[in-house]
Amino acid sequence: MNARVLVLVSLGGSLWAQVSFDRLLHPEREPQNWLTYSGSNKGQRHTTLAQITPANVKNLELQWIWQARSTEKFETTA
């Protein structure tokens, strides 16, 4: 009995977590959620969110940092 409940709950959770085609097709409806690489199919890497402005940018603070464990070549895109 417990195993059946666990299977049903895990199946329901995985179905709920799926991203629909409509959400991928219309990313402008939820600009706070980048569901694809670069934020949309256009690949512009630009957000329409306006929380950071020229007036408040000086108040930004470092929140986290990631350090690579290797000193070898490290590449990224910008």
Side-chain angles (χ1 to χ4, degrees):
M1 179 72 173
N2 289 339
R4 286 187 201 171
V5 171
L6 183 59
V7 168
L8 289 175
V9 169
S10 65
L11 284 176
S14 67
L15 291 175
W16 179 79
Q18 300 297 316
V19 177
S20 69
F21 180 71
D22 187 60
R23 286 181 72 194
L24 294 174
L25 192 60
H26 300 285
E28 70 280 356
R29 294 179 187 164
E30 46 184 314
Q32 72 281 7
N33 295 322
W34 282 32
L35 302 173
T36 59
Y37 182 76
S38 297
S40 73
N41 293 329
K42 296 177 184 176
Q44 294 176 334
R45 300 182 190 173
H46 174 76
T47 180
T48 57
L49 297 177
Q51 295 169 324
I52 299 173
T53 66
N56 68 15
V57 72
K58 66 180 179 284
N59 300 326
L60 292 178
E61 296 178 2
L62 180 64
Q63 293 296 309
W64 59 270
I65 189 168
W66 179 80
Q67 291 183 315
R69 295 180 184 221
S70 172
T71 58
E72 299 294 321
K73 184 177 179 182
F74 188 80
E75 294 184 25
T76 185
T77 61

